[in-house]
């Protein structure tokens, strides 16, 4: 079964509303006519509504970078799944390594977030990845396994084929040090085999695994050539329409 490549731009804490609108306007033109690649952008919360309006009639999808698991209430500074749905989000990134590293997210809170997102019909981009130290100590696979078991705890196979897993080695994020296609494939294959153990064959074949970490127009093609690499979660290079659209157009390069 062929999986539709999925390229998403994680803007992190970048772009004012005005800048966000400029970028998506340019992006719409730059990726128009691209077929058989799903494209998404994940602006900061403050730009979601405006970007959603700007994307009307376009095939570019909207993602948020985080959410909180409660429906509503006294949770100052948090955003609920319903609030994201209302502003037009189809996807939400959960468990990004920056959230884990700087904001104390654990496998348990990631799990709560994933469940809340799915309950509201949001599609999840679930991030996993090892630090340089984990890798050097030979702990990459056990760590990824722990993150997957923790993050997916209590989730049956229902709708799991729609989930996206983003493998983002922490040492490759924003460092210009991309994993080699072979390193990426090795972990992607491991992730898929773990999915196979947890869920059905159908889910295993359907689930898309993105690679993230210093993806550029120059390295996307060799990464996408790997059988288990189904897309990319792009940080820095997604902040300019020119570089992001080249990544989206990887088949033409
Ligand atoms: P960079 O592409 O800037 O390395 O960031 C990757 C990332 O963290 C995407 O979520």
């Amino acid at each position: 079964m062929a999986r539709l490549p999925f390229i998403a731009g994680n803007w992190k804490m970048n772009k004012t509303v005005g800048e966000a609108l400029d970028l998506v306007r340019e992006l719409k033109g730059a990726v128009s006519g691209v077929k058989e690649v799903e494209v998404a952008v994940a602006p900061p919360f403050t730009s979601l509504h405006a970007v959603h309006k700007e994307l009307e009639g376009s095939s570019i999808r909207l993602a948020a970078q985080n959410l909180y698991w409660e429906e509503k209430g006294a949770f100052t500074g948090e955003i609920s799944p319903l609030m994201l749905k209302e502003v037009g989000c189809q996807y939400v990134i959960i468990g990004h390594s920056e959230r884990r590293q700087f904001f104390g997210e654990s496998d348990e809170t990631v799990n709560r977030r994933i469940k809340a997102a799915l309950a509201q019909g949001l599609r999840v981009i679930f991030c996993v990845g090892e630090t340089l130290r984990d890798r050097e100590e030979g702990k990459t696979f056990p760590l990824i396994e722990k993150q997957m078991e923790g993050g997916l705890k209590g989730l049956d196979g229902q709708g799991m084929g729609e989930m996206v897993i983003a493998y983002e080695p922490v040492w490759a994020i924003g460092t210009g040090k991309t994993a080699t296609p072979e390193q990426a494939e090795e972990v992607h294959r491991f992730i898929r085999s773990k999915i196979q153990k947890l869920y059905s064959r159908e889910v295993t074949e359907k689930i898309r695994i993105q690679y993230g970490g210093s993806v550029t127009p120059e390295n996307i093609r060799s990464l996408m050539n790997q059988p288990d690499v189904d897309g990319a979660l792009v940080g820095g290079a997604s902040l300019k329409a020119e570089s992001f659209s080249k990544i989206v157009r990887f088949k033409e390069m």
Side-chain angles (χ1 to χ4, degrees), residues 130-137 170-171 177:
E130 81 287 3
T131 63
L132 185 59
R133 186 155 172 203
D134 298 323
R135 178 163 281 264
E136 284 174 351
E137 291 177 353
V170 178
W171 49 272
K177 211 175 149 196

Side-chain angles (χ1 to χ4, degrees), residues 68-73 75 80-83 120:
Y68 191 62
W69 56 81
E70 295 288 349
E71 269 173 44
K72 61 178 167 184
F75 304 102
S80 76
L82 182 62
M83 291 170 183
Q120 197 51 252

Side-chain angles (χ1 to χ4, degrees), residues 147-252:
Q147 289 175 334
M148 288 179 70
E149 283 174 357
L152 300 175
K153 196 169 175 182
L155 289 167
D156 59 20
Q158 189 72 27
M160 198 53 65
E162 309 297 319
M163 172 160 307
V164 177
I165 297 182
Y167 167 56
E168 298 206 307
V170 178
W171 49 272
I173 296 177
T175 57
K177 211 175 149 196
T178 322
T180 64
E182 294 72 28
Q183 282 173 323
E185 173 62 18
E186 188 186 29
V187 180
H188 283 228
R189 204 182 316 119
F190 176 80
I191 291 171
R192 204 177 300 282
S193 70
K194 183 69 191 172
I195 290 292
Q196 167 95 58
K197 281 184 203 145
L198 294 171
Y199 302 108
S200 64
R201 186 180 188 88
E202 197 198 334
V203 169
T204 308
E205 281 175 11
K206 213 172 159 202
I207 205 162
R208 291 179 296 177
I209 308 174
Q210 294 177 316
Y211 167 78
S214 299
V215 172
T216 64
E218 288 71 40
N219 60 31
I220 182 68
R221 180 127 196 175
S222 60
L223 289 161
M224 291 302 293
N225 275 338
Q226 301 299 316
D228 289 294
V229 177
D230 307 312
L233 185 56
V234 186
S238 72
L239 297 175
K240 291 211 165 86
E242 199 198 344
S243 44
F244 189 60
S245 63
K246 280 187 183 155
I247 293 171
V248 168
R249 292 178 175 279
F250 68 94
K251 289 182 187 171
E252 300 161 31

Side-chain angles (χ1 to χ4, degrees), residues 33-144:
V34 175
K35 288 198 184 69
E36 285 159 24
V37 178
E38 187 176 359
V39 182
V41 291
F45 290 134
T46 46
S47 298
L48 288 172
H49 184 63
V51 167
H52 170 59
K53 294 266 165 233
E54 187 60 41
L55 287 178
E56 257 162 5
S58 142
S59 60
I60 301 174
R61 300 187 189 273
L62 190 64
Q65 298 175 18
N66 186 27
L67 51 62
Y68 191 62
W69 56 81
E70 295 288 349
E71 269 173 44
K72 61 178 167 184
F75 304 102
T76 303
E78 296 300 320
I79 303 283
S80 76
L82 182 62
M83 291 170 183
L84 296 181
K85 283 281 281 195
E86 196 200 19
V87 292
C89 290
Q90 288 120 328
Y91 284 94
V92 58
I93 298 170
I94 294 182
H96 191 280
S97 64
E98 286 148 18
R99 302 280 335 153
R100 296 177 190 256
Q101 199 178 337
F102 305 133
F103 303 100
E105 286 195 23
S106 62
D107 293 334
E108 200 225 314
T109 59
V110 166
N111 179 246
R112 295 176 91 154
R113 286 182 162 86
I114 292 177
K115 285 178 177 159
L118 295 177
Q120 197 51 252
L122 285 160
R123 289 182 167 203
V124 170
I125 301 175
F126 167 36
C127 302
V128 296
E130 81 287 3
T131 63
L132 185 59
R133 186 155 172 203
D134 298 323
R135 178 163 281 264
E136 284 174 351
E137 291 177 353
K139 292 186 188 148
T140 300
F141 292 155
L143 192 273
I144 302 276

Side-chain angles (χ1 to χ4, degrees), residues 23-42:
L23 176 52
V24 282
R25 279 184 197 123
E26 209 187 321
L27 196 58
K28 278 196 295 185
V31 302
S32 71
V34 175
K35 288 198 184 69
E36 285 159 24
V37 178
E38 187 176 359
V39 182
V41 291

